Amino acid sequence: MTRKLGVSADGIFEADTLEALDQIKAAGFDSIFTDFYDDKTTNRQIAEKADKLGLTYETIHAPFFTDNFGKCNSLWVPDENTERFSGLLLRCIDTCADLKIPTMIMHVSNGEFPPRINDFGYEAFARLIDRAGERGVNLAFENLRSL
């Protein structure tokens, strides 16, 4: 069995992500992942170019903190950003499904002292998990060290 090699397409600082794809392919990588771009256009452009180059677009990393949408801790404690942040993650799931990207990576919480696990959070995650299941997207949860 041959293992595929993947790399972040957002990690080449001298090039924008679309330009980096050529370098990634030339370096011998087989697959990529990127951050989520809420306008869909960028993720779609990346997916189309990756496909042309024969690169598999394996994952999108969901935002966990943004100036406009709050942070993932809003999933556990209702605040002014809860609905906006949940909506952002739902759009990320939909983008993965629309572009046939099989997996969305997301943080469960943020910071040294995240909110305690609670029913509000379970309900928020249930909505995300339900949407991902409906759309055929795997959710990968990371940074669980502070739960």
Side-chain angles (χ1 to χ4, degrees), residues 48-105:
E48 289 170 356
K49 184 167 183 181
D51 188 54
K52 286 179 187 173
L53 292 171
L55 293 168
T56 302
Y57 198 165
E58 288 189 341
T59 64
I60 287 181
H61 194 295
F64 58 94
F65 183 88
T66 72
D67 289 336
N68 297 328
F69 293 93
K71 58 186 176 180
C72 55
N73 290 346
S74 295
L75 298 173
W76 295 101
V77 178
D79 64 21
E80 69 278 1
N81 296 311
T82 298
E83 289 305 312
R84 288 189 310 218
F85 196 80
S86 293
L88 179 68
L89 295 177
L90 291 170
R91 288 192 302 281
C92 187
I93 290 168
D94 289 340
T95 297
C96 286
D98 294 345
L99 299 178
K100 303 201 179 354
I101 299 166
T103 303
M104 180 182 101
I105 301 169

Side-chain angles (χ1 to χ4, degrees), residues 85-142:
F85 196 80
S86 293
L88 179 68
L89 295 177
L90 291 170
R91 288 192 302 281
C92 187
I93 290 168
D94 289 340
T95 297
C96 286
D98 294 345
L99 299 178
K100 303 201 179 354
I101 299 166
T103 303
M104 180 182 101
I105 301 169
M106 65 173 288
H107 291 208
V108 173
S109 61
N110 189 29
E112 288 293 318
F113 303 101
R116 297 184 63 79
I117 294 172
N118 58 58
D119 289 339
F120 182 82
Y122 285 142
E123 290 175 20
F125 276 87
R127 286 190 300 277
L128 297 171
I129 291 166
D130 287 347
R131 175 72 67 88
E134 291 164 5
R135 300 296 317 265
V137 174
N138 300 308
L139 293 182
F141 302 109
E142 68 173 2

Side-chain angles (χ1 to χ4, degrees), residues 7-25 32-35 37 42-43 45-47 49-50 53 55 57:
V7 67
S8 170
D10 295 326
I12 299 175
F13 299 107
E14 296 82 34
D16 78 357
T17 302
L18 284 172
E19 293 170 355
L21 295 179
D22 295 309
Q23 296 173 31
I24 289 167
K25 182 64 177 178
I32 59 156
F33 71 92
T34 69
D35 289 334
Y37 303 103
T42 305
N43 290 112
Q45 291 169 329
I46 294 166
K49 184 167 183 181
L53 292 171
L55 293 168
Y57 198 165

